[in-house]
Amino acid sequence: MKKFIFNKEIILMSVSLSLLLIFLNTLQYRVMLFDYPMEIFIGVVAVLFMLLGIWMANKLSLKPNLQNVESVNSNLQADSNFESTDTLGLTQREMDVLNLMALGMSNHEIADKLCVSIPTVKSHSSNLYEKLGVKRRTQAVIQAKSLKIIP
């Protein structure tokens, strides 16, 4: 189960809602509540859902996790043959795709890891196949290992 950690966003929202309640109390909100109860209730609920939506969108938004890719590449390229990559004309992104293929990842997983679209991964894969002279993913990995491009 995930721990609930108080952060500055939650505290800021709590303080602002408290200030809003104090403000409404000073304006004698009871008089307004009796005159317009449904409108106030709908407005408060709408504001709360809007704030909740903004908070959730910020928490759930996709942010590139490029540190994982760089650590995978640094680990995999420690033993790689850079002369072969230059001779074949492999780009850095094609090397990233090749390294992740060697780890057994699917196109969708590679796209998520590199924060690119699936057609982009397929394009890089096609370029790899052409440069390595192969037709399949497994052949590309085997060929890259035989050329010592990847460990």
Side-chain angles (χ1 to χ4, degrees):
M1 186 171 207
K2 196 173 184 181
K3 286 185 177 181
F4 185 75
I5 301 173
F6 286 101
N7 58 20
K8 60 184 175 184
E9 295 170 342
I10 294 172
I11 293 172
L12 182 64
M13 281 181 46
S14 301
V15 169
S16 62
L17 287 174
S18 299
L19 291 174
L20 179 65
L21 286 174
I22 291 170
F23 177 72
L24 287 175
N25 195 17
T26 58
L27 293 177
Q28 298 177 350
Y29 71 96
R30 292 181 190 170
V31 174
M32 290 187 337
L33 187 63
F34 290 122
D35 291 340
Y36 307 105
M38 188 55 73
E39 290 83 0
I40 291 176
F41 178 75
I42 291 171
V44 168
V45 168
V47 168
L48 289 176
F49 275 103
M50 180 187 68
L51 292 174
L52 181 66
I54 291 170
W55 179 74
M56 285 180 64
N58 284 333
K59 290 296 178 187
L60 298 176
S61 66
L62 296 176
K63 296 177 183 172
N65 192 359
L66 298 178
Q67 290 176 336
N68 290 343
V69 174
E70 290 170 2
S71 66
V72 166
N73 287 338
S74 64
N75 291 340
L76 290 175
Q77 291 179 354
D79 300 326
S80 66
N81 185 355
F82 290 109
E83 293 172 8
S84 296
T85 58
D86 290 340
T87 304
L88 294 172
L90 295 177
T91 65
Q92 180 60 44
R93 192 53 108 180
E94 289 169 348
M95 284 299 299
D96 295 341
V97 171
L98 183 61
N99 286 326
L100 295 174
M101 275 184 194
L103 293 175
M105 292 187 172
S106 67
N107 285 344
H108 183 71
E109 292 169 330
I110 294 171
D112 287 343
K113 193 74 147 176
L114 298 177
C115 298
V116 296
S117 67
I118 294 173
T120 301
V121 172
K122 289 180 180 179
S123 174
H124 289 308
S125 300
S126 296
N127 293 340
L128 275 169
Y129 301 159
E130 184 179 328
K131 291 176 181 180
L132 293 172
V134 296
K135 294 183 180 180
R136 292 183 187 82
R137 170 184 297 249
T138 52
Q139 292 173 335
V141 172
I142 291 169
Q143 180 72 0
K145 286 184 179 184
S146 70
L147 293 173
K148 297 185 180 178
I149 297 171
I150 58 175

